[in-house]
Amino acid sequence: MNETPGADSFAELKRRQQVTDPHSEVVHFPASEGLPLDSGAVLAPFSVAYQTYGTLNADKSNLVLVCHALTGDQHVANPHPVTGKPGWWETMVGPGKPIDTDRYFVLCPNVIGGCMGSTGPSSLNPVTGRPYGPDFPVITLRDMVRAQARLLDHLGVEQALSVIGGSMGGMQVLEWAATYKDRVFSAIPIACAARHSSQNIAFHEVGRQAVMADPDWCGGHYLEEGKNPRKGLAVARMAAHITYLSDRALHTKFGRNLQDREEVTFGFDADFQVESYLRHQGMSFVDRFDANSYLYITRAMDYFDLAADHGGVLANAFAGTKTRFCLISFTSDWLFPTEESREVVHALNAVAANVSFVEIESNKGHDAFLLHEPELFDTVRGFLSAAARRRGLDDASTGS
Amino acid sequence: MNETPGADSFAELKRRQQVTDPHSEVVHFPASEGLPLDSGAVLAPFSVAYQTYGTLNADKSNLVLVCHALTGDQHVANPHPVTGKPGWWETMVGPGKPIDTDRYFVLCPNVIGGCMGSTGPSSLNPVTGRPYGPDFPVITLRDMVRAQARLLDHLGVEQALSVIGGSMGGMQVLEWAATYKDRVFSAIPIACAARHSSQNIAFHEVGRQAVMADPDWCGGHYLEEGKNPRKGLAVARMAAHITYLSDRALHTKFGRNLQDREEVTFGFDADFQVESYLRHQGMSFVDRFDANSYLYITRAMDYFDLAADHGGVLANAFAGTKTRFCLISFTSDWLFPTEESREVVHALNAVAANVSFVEIESNKGHDAFLLHEPELFDTVRGFLSAAARRRGLDDASTGS
């Protein structure tokens, strides 16, 4: 309603702030302790929201840092404050789980650029007192990792027992291992790559264009305008979601099954189950995610190219590493095919790193890292236990 | 401008009509000779626009019917009247080419539902005197083929020497062979399948949602409103275009190369060549294609399931066939993987049909059928020559 733009703006902003104010711990770094970014800008002040599970032991040696994926957040193993759904990795993290919170202290921060409490484009710009929107600086995965390192400093943790994550989380793991060699005792990059491929950039660009094509995006100023580019963001999510599954998974799950009907309707309703499923994925996503965060985080992934950052030679990124690596890929993942993990393994081999690599047979596509995959659980549990033993931890010395 | 809706509507309609009035032959079937549709509706009157190349011989036995793909049209081997670009299959069709217009009479009709002269959603609805828009009946590939059969009747051609096409064109070839067994002497379905997969339906649904999310779609009535959902259609085209290429093709063509710059800009411009390329694909497409046609034709493809139309057994579709088949697929085509052509081959084997099958090694993805693929050209040339000889044609009896 044009008569009361302010009221609408603030109503929307309030709704947003509920989303961006989950029940997480938040560390606020003051303007004097800003975050230098790869772009040359400085993000100041900035905040990092995070969840923890388990107990940090006396010598602070049992921390497992979980890095979340593009549309994930810090709510790894508790009900999500917005959706009420279980945490995104409850199969992996918890008492007696592969990442056993009886033994390890698990930390998951929301990435900067995100919308769940860490500073991002929906945060207030201290210069204007309005949401950053499109004035938020473009960030990189290294910037995200740099913010996480600051969080570890704040918690007084010098070295993580392990850094683990899938997809964009896995890319952050690689960035951690490259940038903070002494702070990563072991690393578990899952379903990822050392650079974002041309095809992946292409899919991201489609998503961004879908958001920006929505007039309710308002040039990025939708919060101030009291609007929300729901339709555009839903289309972006739908396109991306297809890439998270495999052709086989879609065939098995939906095939050409019709949705609650015997015959096609000769219309544009969701005749097929797969259409209904995708529409639901799109619409439920926009309730919990900020459109500008989607733009900024996809951009950060596109920019990721670890070899380019190290003179064009991927092995250089890992020169001198003492980190123990365990890479995991899935056979049906066409977003981050096994071949791309293998390239990282070759680079690690070239610097004589301690590395193991498991390609898991799965027809679930990229999303396999989030799903019930016993071989994934066994691999993580085993590797992590071995790392803990090597680190000098036993059951008595951990947090339980 | 709300003051003069009429003027705007007609200006847009005129622009549209230039697009829908290419320099093609058009057969107008009067209301008394309407086209019965699978939905139960009747399209009346209806028109079919077409291009021809070469000369029909005396006994009308040298016709090669080319079926075009989703966003193709009848301009196979002449400059496109809207874009001015070469015909989409000039590598394949012409004097001395694999489909040799010195020997064969080549016919390509625009599909019904299209926007290049055949009746489609941008045509005038005789009931209202306004463009059909969303009141156009939902059509199937069989409806398209039925309209083409009417065109063959009109031209006095009982049997095509061959029916050939790639992608949706190949699906029409299969439909032709199933529905009009005596009218297809030989059939060359390329890069296609006997049904649209779950993943393919999913990508189409994303495209449709992108169009419908554009407020300028106006519930399908954009022509009457003097608008055009350009942004939505461009996003749809961008998403689809990725599926036409292979990961490898994108990597080879673009990799992570930057567009006219040395460094990334830390912004949302098209830093990468692949982004610039996709944006161009999207924007140039909307100049030549109608958004509602895109909805209707993708829907027709989604509905295609030849086995379901024949009691759930694909072989039944071809029972009693005397057609000679040559199926062609490409190794890197992930939209219509070789496996789906093989299923058609198995069905044809089950009815002891005359069938050959060639899987061509190519890294160009689905679009390989449109590109320079010497093995494709050799296969089509050889198969077609053999069919012509078997049909009793030699050089003297053909149109040249």
Side-chain angles (χ1 to χ4, degrees):
Chain A
M1 311 217 326
N2 287 326
E3 299 86 337
T4 55
D8 260 15
S9 301
F10 292 125
E12 175 65 19
L13 193 54
K14 189 151 180 246
R15 198 191 69 77
R16 285 271 137 194
Q17 281 172 336
Q18 288 170 339
V19 176
T20 56
D21 184 24
H23 314 293
S24 294
E25 296 288 324
V26 183
V27 183
H28 301 285
F29 295 90
S32 58
E33 298 172 22
L35 186 73
L37 303 175
D38 280 349
S39 66
V42 177
L43 190 62
F46 77 102
S47 302
V48 180
Y50 62 95
Q51 292 289 112
T52 68
Y53 312 88
T55 309
L56 188 60
N57 63 5
D59 64 356
K60 302 190 172 185
S61 62
N62 69 336
L63 181 138
V64 174
L65 175 67
V66 175
C67 300
H68 69 72
L70 166 56
T71 65
D73 54 39
Q74 68 269 39
H75 299 285
V76 172
N78 54 265
H80 194 277
V82 176
T83 67
K85 290 184 181 166
W88 59 267
W89 229 7
E90 294 211 351
T91 51
M92 183 67 89
V93 175
K97 301 280 175 69
I99 303 177
D100 186 350
T101 51
D102 289 338
R103 298 190 67 193
Y104 312 118
F105 175 63
V106 176
L107 168 69
C108 184
N110 184 216
V111 297
I112 58 160
C115 53
M116 288 299 285
S118 293
T119 301
S122 59
S123 303
L124 289 184
N125 180 347
V127 175
T128 64
R130 317 285 295 172
Y132 274 104
D135 297 327
F136 193 74
V138 166
I139 53 169
T140 66
L141 296 196
R142 186 156 51 188
D143 293 332
M144 294 177 185
V145 164
R146 201 176 281 129
Q148 292 164 9
R150 295 284 289 275
L151 175 62
L152 258 63
D153 294 343
H154 173 83
L155 298 174
V157 175
E158 179 50 35
Q159 187 190 54
L161 168 62
S162 200
V163 185
I164 184 172
S167 196
M168 185 182 84
M171 294 159 99
Q172 290 170 72
V173 174
L174 294 174
E175 185 67 67
W176 258 103
T179 305
Y180 298 103
K181 290 191 172 63
D182 295 335
R183 305 190 71 170
V184 182
F185 186 77
S186 71
I188 311 178
I190 305 170
C192 66
R195 64 169 182 204
H196 218 219
S197 74
S198 192
Q199 188 180 63
N200 289 359
I201 294 171
F203 275 116
H204 275 175
E205 174 65 2
V206 167
R208 286 190 295 263
Q209 290 295 320
V211 170
M212 293 177 174
D214 189 329
D216 285 346
W217 182 60
C218 303
H221 294 283
Y222 50 89
L223 285 179
E224 292 173 72
E225 302 287 336
K227 304 208 166 169
N228 190 6
R230 294 176 61 85
K231 288 184 176 177
L233 184 60
V235 169
R237 175 63 168 178
M238 288 172 69
H241 199 79
I242 301 173
T243 69
Y244 302 152
L245 306 176
S246 68
D247 182 30
R248 179 55 48 186
L250 283 165
H251 180 73
T252 305
K253 197 165 182 175
F254 305 111
R256 295 180 47 84
N257 296 337
L258 300 178
Q259 176 73 19
D260 301 333
R261 59 201 70 181
E262 299 286 315
E263 305 270 342
V264 296
T265 61
F266 291 99
F268 293 99
D269 283 345
D271 275 356
F272 296 100
Q273 285 177 6
V274 68
E275 294 177 296
S276 176
Y277 170 78
L278 272 186
R279 289 185 190 185
H280 173 75
Q281 291 294 328
M283 292 319 290
S284 60
F285 179 62
V286 301
D287 288 333
R288 71 172 178 86
F289 215 82
D290 176 66
N292 280 335
S293 279
Y294 195 79
L295 302 185
Y296 278 88
I297 300 176
T298 55
R299 201 46 162 172
M301 290 178 76
D302 291 352
Y303 277 4
F304 186 61
D305 187 346
L306 209 44
D309 293 342
H310 293 84
V313 180
L314 184 56
N316 289 353
F318 304 114
T321 186
K322 293 192 184 69
T323 302
R324 304 159 68 87
F325 289 87
C326 176
L327 282 90
I328 301 170
S329 71
F330 300 94
T331 50
S332 59
D333 183 350
W334 58 279
L335 201 59
F336 293 100
T338 288
E339 183 55 31
E340 304 201 7
S341 285
R342 219 182 291 274
E343 283 179 23
V344 178
V345 172
H346 290 162
L348 288 166
N349 287 339
V351 296
N354 185 331
V355 55
S356 64
F357 172 47
V358 180
E359 182 189 29
I360 295 174
E361 182 81 31
S362 165
N363 65 14
K364 296 182 187 134
H366 181 63
D367 265 359
F369 82 93
L370 296 168
L371 303 172
H372 182 75
E373 285 288 353
E375 193 178 348
L376 170 66
F377 301 148
D378 292 346
T379 301
V380 169
R381 185 191 297 274
F383 177 80
L384 207 47
S385 285
R389 276 195 304 277
R390 178 65 68 130
R391 183 77 171 79
L393 295 173
D394 53 30
D395 286 348
S397 73
T398 55
S400 63
Chain B
M1 310 214 331
N2 287 327
E3 300 86 336
T4 55
D8 260 14
S9 301
F10 292 125
E12 176 65 17
L13 194 54
K14 187 148 181 253
R15 197 191 70 78
R16 284 274 138 194
Q17 282 173 335
Q18 289 171 338
V19 176
T20 57
D21 184 24
H23 314 292
S24 294
E25 295 289 323
V26 183
V27 183
H28 301 285
F29 296 90
S32 59
E33 298 171 23
L35 186 74
L37 303 174
D38 280 349
S39 66
V42 176
L43 190 62
F46 76 102
S47 302
V48 180
Y50 62 95
Q51 292 289 112
T52 68
Y53 311 89
T55 309
L56 189 61
N57 63 3
D59 64 354
K60 302 189 171 185
S61 61
N62 69 335
L63 181 139
V64 174
L65 176 66
V66 174
C67 300
H68 69 71
L70 166 54
T71 65
D73 54 38
Q74 67 270 38
H75 298 286
V76 172
N78 53 266
H80 194 277
V82 176
T83 67
K85 288 185 182 168
W88 58 268
W89 228 7
E90 294 211 351
T91 50
M92 183 66 90
V93 175
K97 301 279 174 71
I99 303 178
D100 186 350
T101 51
D102 290 338
R103 298 190 66 192
Y104 312 117
F105 174 63
V106 175
L107 168 69
C108 184
N110 184 217
V111 296
I112 58 160
C115 53
M116 288 299 285
S118 294
T119 301
S122 58
S123 304
L124 288 184
N125 181 346
V127 175
T128 63
R130 317 284 294 172
Y132 273 104
D135 297 327
F136 193 74
V138 165
I139 54 169
T140 65
L141 296 195
R142 186 155 52 188
D143 294 332
M144 294 177 184
V145 164
R146 201 177 280 127
Q148 292 164 9
R150 294 285 289 277
L151 175 62
L152 259 62
D153 295 343
H154 173 83
L155 298 174
V157 175
E158 179 49 35
Q159 188 189 53
L161 169 61
S162 199
V163 185
I164 184 171
S167 195
M168 184 182 83
M171 295 159 99
Q172 290 171 73
V173 174
L174 294 173
E175 187 66 69
W176 258 102
T179 305
Y180 298 104
K181 291 191 171 62
D182 296 334
R183 304 191 71 171
V184 182
F185 187 77
S186 71
I188 311 178
I190 304 170
C192 66
R195 63 171 181 202
H196 218 219
S197 73
S198 194
Q199 188 181 62
N200 289 359
I201 295 171
F203 275 116
H204 275 175
E205 174 65 2
V206 168
R208 285 190 295 264
Q209 291 295 320
V211 170
M212 293 177 175
D214 189 329
D216 286 345
W217 182 61
C218 302
H221 294 282
Y222 50 89
L223 285 180
E224 293 173 72
E225 303 287 337
K227 304 207 167 171
N228 191 6
R230 294 175 62 86
K231 287 185 176 176
L233 184 59
V235 168
R237 174 63 168 180
M238 288 172 69
H241 200 79
I242 300 174
T243 70
Y244 302 152
L245 306 175
S246 68
D247 182 30
R248 180 55 47 186
L250 283 165
H251 180 73
T252 305
K253 198 166 181 172
F254 305 111
R256 296 179 46 83
N257 296 337
L258 300 177
Q259 176 73 19
D260 302 332
R261 61 200 70 182
E262 299 286 316
E263 305 269 340
V264 297
T265 62
F266 291 99
F268 293 99
D269 283 345
D271 274 355
F272 296 100
Q273 285 177 6
V274 68
E275 295 177 296
S276 174
Y277 170 79
L278 273 186
R279 289 184 190 186
H280 173 74
Q281 291 293 329
M283 292 319 290
S284 60
F285 179 61
V286 301
D287 288 334
R288 70 173 179 86
F289 214 82
D290 176 68
N292 280 334
S293 279
Y294 195 80
L295 303 185
Y296 278 88
I297 300 176
T298 55
R299 201 48 161 168
M301 290 179 76
D302 291 353
Y303 277 5
F304 186 62
D305 187 347
L306 209 45
D309 293 342
H310 293 83
V313 180
L314 184 56
N316 290 352
F318 304 114
T321 185
K322 293 193 185 70
T323 302
R324 303 159 69 87
F325 289 86
C326 177
L327 282 90
I328 300 170
S329 71
F330 299 93
T331 50
S332 58
D333 183 350
W334 58 278
L335 201 60
F336 293 101
T338 288
E339 183 55 30
E340 304 201 8
S341 285
R342 219 182 292 274
E343 283 179 23
V344 179
V345 171
H346 290 162
L348 289 166
N349 287 338
V351 296
N354 185 331
V355 54
S356 63
F357 172 45
V358 180
E359 183 190 29
I360 295 174
E361 182 81 30
S362 165
N363 65 13
K364 296 182 188 135
H366 181 63
D367 264 359
F369 82 93
L370 295 168
L371 302 173
H372 182 74
E373 285 288 353
E375 194 179 347
L376 170 65
F377 301 149
D378 292 347
T379 302
V380 170
R381 184 190 297 274
F383 177 80
L384 206 49
S385 286
R389 277 195 302 277
R390 179 63 70 131
R391 183 78 170 80
L393 294 173
D394 55 28
D395 286 347
S397 73
T398 55
S400 62

